[in-house]
Amino acid sequence: MTKQASPFANARGARTVTLSVQSWVGSLANVAVAQYLLEHELGYRVDLVQIDEVPAWDALSQGRVDAILEDWGHPEQEQLYVEDKKTIARGGGLGVTGHIGWFVPTYFAEQHPDIKDWKNLNKYADRFRTAESGGKGQLMDGSPAYLTHDKALVKNLNLNYQVVFAGSEAAQITQIKQFAKEKKPFLTYWYTPQWLSAKVPMTEVELPPYKEGCDADAAKVACAYPHTPLQKYLNADFAESGGEAADFLKKFRWTTEDQNEVSLMIADQKLTPAEAAKKWVDGHESTWRAWLS
């Protein structure tokens, strides 16, 4: 998955599909199941390209990849490529609703119930301090490439916190597991659905309510993240002339529980994506058979 493009992407008549896969395991779960069915049921060869969220839109527009199966909302790219240039087509909903927020471990929230209101965060800043947070409380983020308003939120809500990036989802999970093992308090940027939430129960800190447009100016954001029905996008030419593969990807739609089931097998049980996909496919024929009709 180190390739940045496939020579077969967007090639007319080629029974090859190139899928963009993002760096979190939920995205990998979508792609693993789609790849398995495209290969084993429809006879396609599937190439995977790992690209960060925004560059993936550029690649999709240029035909370097054929589809993004999980987008968390990029209105600027949507306006540019879907509405204006018409080089990208909507592929329908994934069936999963995503939500980003700030979370603390439930064991800490049960001891300190008022932590669930952001107005009380400064009261606990010293409890969340780490060697990396420079004397302030640590707000742990994952990858700098992820959709995040956290630095603006900390500034605009006058919070005595420092955003510290773990570097990746995997590094963030490792850190969360270590904190939980030691029953230490932590405050983290997190998102649902995510398989780890079943292993380390977390409680959301309520930020000021989200209202339409409150995040329009990235520097002035002072509200919570929205609940986002996750969307699929296809290269416009592929959407029109991609045959069975394009039809299948438009119909691909599953639940949060389905995605978490596959994610857990990959990230926690250490199955390969192909093994996890086969296991899910073997047990859910009534779900995926409709995607092929």
Side-chain angles (χ1 to χ4, degrees):
M1 293 203 307
T2 55
K3 299 192 304 293
Q4 287 302 299
S6 162
F8 297 97
N10 203 26
R12 287 189 178 276
R15 289 193 70 82
T16 299
V17 180
T18 304
L19 301 177
S20 170
V21 56
Q22 271 68 51
S23 62
W24 55 89
V25 73
S27 172
L28 185 55
N30 305 325
V31 170
V33 170
Q35 177 179 9
Y36 186 89
L37 290 168
L38 282 164
E39 290 179 344
H40 291 84
E41 295 292 328
L42 295 176
Y44 283 82
R45 194 187 90 183
V46 178
D47 288 335
L48 306 183
V49 181
Q50 185 159 5
I51 322 178
D52 287 336
E53 291 179 75
V54 173
W57 279 80
D58 303 330
L60 188 63
S61 172
Q62 295 159 10
R64 291 189 286 121
V65 299
D66 295 317
I68 295 172
L69 298 186
E70 180 174 313
D71 183 77
W72 284 65
H74 291 86
E76 287 183 22
Q77 283 71 27
E78 190 178 337
Q79 180 64 43
L80 175 63
Y81 292 129
V82 178
E83 304 297 340
D84 299 343
K85 292 189 172 184
K86 303 190 187 312
T87 52
I88 292 177
R90 291 184 176 86
L94 177 64
V96 177
T97 294
H99 176 58
I100 296 167
W102 292 0
F103 290 79
V104 296
T106 299
Y107 55 76
F108 188 80
E110 287 174 346
Q111 294 170 343
H112 308 280
D114 61 338
I115 192 66
K116 291 184 276 188
D117 186 335
W118 71 270
K119 293 174 185 171
N120 297 315
L121 280 171
N122 280 345
K123 173 181 168 184
Y124 292 99
D126 62 329
R127 301 290 303 275
F128 298 117
R129 202 164 49 213
T130 67
E132 292 81 25
S133 61
K136 298 181 177 183
Q138 173 177 284
L139 170 56
M140 179 168 54
D141 273 46
S143 166
Y146 290 173
L147 178 68
T148 174
H149 306 310
D150 285 0
K151 287 185 177 179
L153 280 164
V154 166
K155 179 183 176 185
N156 296 329
L157 297 177
N158 297 311
L159 297 174
N160 187 30
Y161 283 79
Q162 177 72 34
V163 175
V164 177
F165 289 98
S168 67
E169 182 186 62
Q172 189 180 13
I173 287 171
T174 298
Q175 187 66 72
I176 288 172
K177 281 182 168 180
Q178 188 60 38
F179 280 134
K181 184 179 178 182
E182 299 171 8
K183 282 289 191 282
K184 286 185 175 178
F186 62 85
L187 175 66
T188 188
Y189 165 105
W190 198 237
Y191 36 89
T192 57
Q194 219 293 339
W195 65 270
L196 184 68
S197 302
K199 297 282 184 178
V200 180
M202 289 184 256
T203 298
E204 186 168 6
V205 175
E206 291 187 15
L207 294 167
Y210 177 83
K211 292 175 183 171
E212 192 71 35
C214 70
D215 53 358
D217 185 337
K220 294 180 180 177
V221 177
C223 60
Y225 293 87
H227 286 79
T228 306
L230 304 181
Q231 300 296 313
K232 298 169 296 176
Y233 290 92
L234 278 59
N235 171 274
D237 289 342
F238 172 75
E240 191 173 325
S241 58
E244 289 180 305
D247 291 342
F248 163 78
L249 292 172
K250 290 171 190 173
K251 292 176 183 175
F252 184 105
R253 183 180 178 90
W254 62 352
T255 66
T256 295
E257 291 72 26
D258 290 325
Q259 189 190 81
N260 276 343
E261 185 180 337
V262 178
S263 296
L264 191 67
M265 286 190 269
I266 295 170
D268 191 58
Q269 299 168 16
K270 305 303 180 188
L271 273 66
T272 67
E275 289 168 344
K278 182 181 187 307
K279 194 169 180 180
W280 184 88
V281 165
D282 287 347
H284 296 81
E285 183 170 356
S286 61
T287 300
W288 58 260
R289 188 60 69 183
W291 308 340
L292 302 173
S293 61

